[in-house]
Amino acid sequence: SILPIYMPRSFGASGWGVTGASAGLLIGLFFPPLGFIIGALIGAFLFELIRQRGLVDALIAGLGSFIGFAIGTVVKVALAGAITGWLLFKALLPLT
């Protein structure tokens, strides 16, 4: 999903924050499940701190990344449920 990378920008993150969110997501994949849940948040937060934006701005950028991850996950689960429901409907529909 691209939302954890896109959302920090809409929350005011710099390019450093977006890069941090991307790096956090990639590194977080090696530490499931908690790693990829908060990896983008921590990555965006740390990279904004490195850029010396301030604690509040860095936290907002990290929060934007987490919100993007959460929204992306909800959309994926909803689509998977819809596809599963459609396939079950088609499989259980009597052939007439």
Side-chain angles (χ1 to χ4, degrees):
S1 171
I2 196 160
L3 281 175
I5 299 167
Y6 171 75
M7 287 298 285
R9 184 63 101 174
S10 64
F11 275 68
S14 65
W16 279 72
V18 174
T19 303
S22 303
L25 262 177
L26 290 175
I27 293 170
L29 291 175
F30 296 103
F31 304 100
L34 195 57
F36 58 80
I37 292 173
I38 63 170
L41 181 145
I42 293 172
F45 176 73
L46 289 177
F47 272 56
E48 287 291 337
L49 280 180
I50 290 170
R51 188 173 177 261
Q52 298 178 350
R53 290 257 328 232
L55 188 62
V56 174
D57 289 337
L59 189 57
I60 290 172
L63 185 63
S65 180
F66 179 75
I67 289 171
F69 174 80
I71 291 171
T73 301
V74 168
V75 169
K76 289 175 200 173
V77 168
L79 286 174
I83 291 170
T84 302
W86 181 77
L87 288 173
L88 286 174
F89 176 75
K90 286 295 190 178
L92 298 177
L93 185 69
L95 299 173
T96 57

